[in-house]
Amino acid sequence: MRRPVGERDAGEFPHPREREEALVGAEDYEQIRALCYRYTFALDEGDFRTVAAILGDGVLRPSMPGVVGEPIDGPEEIERFYAEQVVTYKNGDPRTRHLISNQLIELAEDGLSASSRCYFTVLQRAPGHEYQIVVGGQYHDRFRKTGGVWRFTEKTIQVDHLNRIELHFRIADTLKG
């Protein structure tokens, strides 16, 4: 009879089936983490077409002080949102680094859906300015696994702190509260 991991003696190894299940779960976590990192790298490169492809199966929900907006759905609308709102400099470079920290990923029991919450910090070195934090907040994400591939179904960008946001992001007059 197998005993739960917490009840085992030190040095006892998990049953092979438990190791296999843990490896499958670990692979899912790493695929989700990699998907989130691909999103941030594409943003930092000013590659809004790739951002839209990464988020295109889902809904984008920006949430920030003073901004009231509808969910953004579909790759064309998502690409347009980023292209119109993110300030870019020479060669379309936003001159940013989006950092993700404290990421908590929770897999659903069905193994086909998951959620994630993490902090994000955006560093920027705009021309003529010091390297600085321009925005901080949280990402609240939902995912679905289809055909063995994890995809975003929803991304909520919750902005908690702003500092010189005009160097990084334009808030459209239609979105201002």
Side-chain angles (χ1 to χ4, degrees):
M1 182 168 120
R2 292 189 305 170
R3 292 185 293 167
V5 173
E7 296 178 12
R8 294 193 181 129
D9 295 328
E12 269 190 87
F13 294 100
H15 187 274
R17 199 169 28 234
E18 290 174 350
R19 284 195 307 265
E20 186 176 305
E21 290 169 3
L23 288 175
V24 168
E27 184 177 310
D28 289 323
Y29 286 106
E30 286 307 311
Q31 287 179 13
I32 291 169
R33 197 170 282 118
L35 180 62
C36 293
Y37 293 156
R38 280 194 295 278
Y39 164 78
T40 64
F41 284 121
L43 275 177
D44 291 335
E45 293 165 359
D47 185 354
F48 306 131
R49 178 164 288 146
T50 296
V51 169
I54 291 169
L55 299 178
D57 291 342
V59 175
L60 177 64
R61 299 178 190 279
S63 172
M64 57 193 82
V67 173
V68 179
E70 295 295 317
I72 302 162
D73 195 4
E76 294 83 15
E77 291 300 315
I78 291 171
E79 181 178 0
R80 183 177 7 266
F81 171 78
Y82 281 101
E84 290 175 357
Q85 301 304 313
V86 174
V87 176
T88 58
Y89 298 91
K90 187 178 178 182
N91 299 322
D93 183 357
R95 307 207 41 169
T96 56
R97 292 296 177 261
H98 286 71
L99 309 177
I100 294 175
S101 60
N102 297 24
Q103 188 173 28
L104 174 64
I105 299 170
E106 296 180 307
L107 294 174
E109 288 185 22
D110 65 5
L112 298 175
S113 58
S115 63
S116 171
R117 176 182 175 197
C118 66
Y119 295 122
F120 71 89
T121 305
V122 181
L123 304 174
Q124 185 181 43
R125 176 86 165 73
H129 295 275
E130 297 291 321
Y131 199 52
Q132 63 184 315
I133 296 172
V134 291
V135 62
Q138 298 177 51
Y139 292 143
H140 298 269
D141 301 324
R142 296 192 182 281
F143 310 90
R144 186 88 184 138
K145 187 177 186 179
T146 306
V149 176
W150 286 99
R151 301 285 296 169
F152 280 94
T153 59
E154 182 176 322
K155 179 168 210 60
T156 299
I157 303 171
Q158 175 186 319
V159 173
D160 296 329
H161 307 286
L162 298 172
N163 179 35
R164 303 296 311 266
I165 192 64
E166 70 277 5
L167 299 173
H168 172 51
F169 202 79
R170 295 177 195 95
I171 298 177
D173 289 337
T174 58
L175 295 176
K176 290 180 181 175

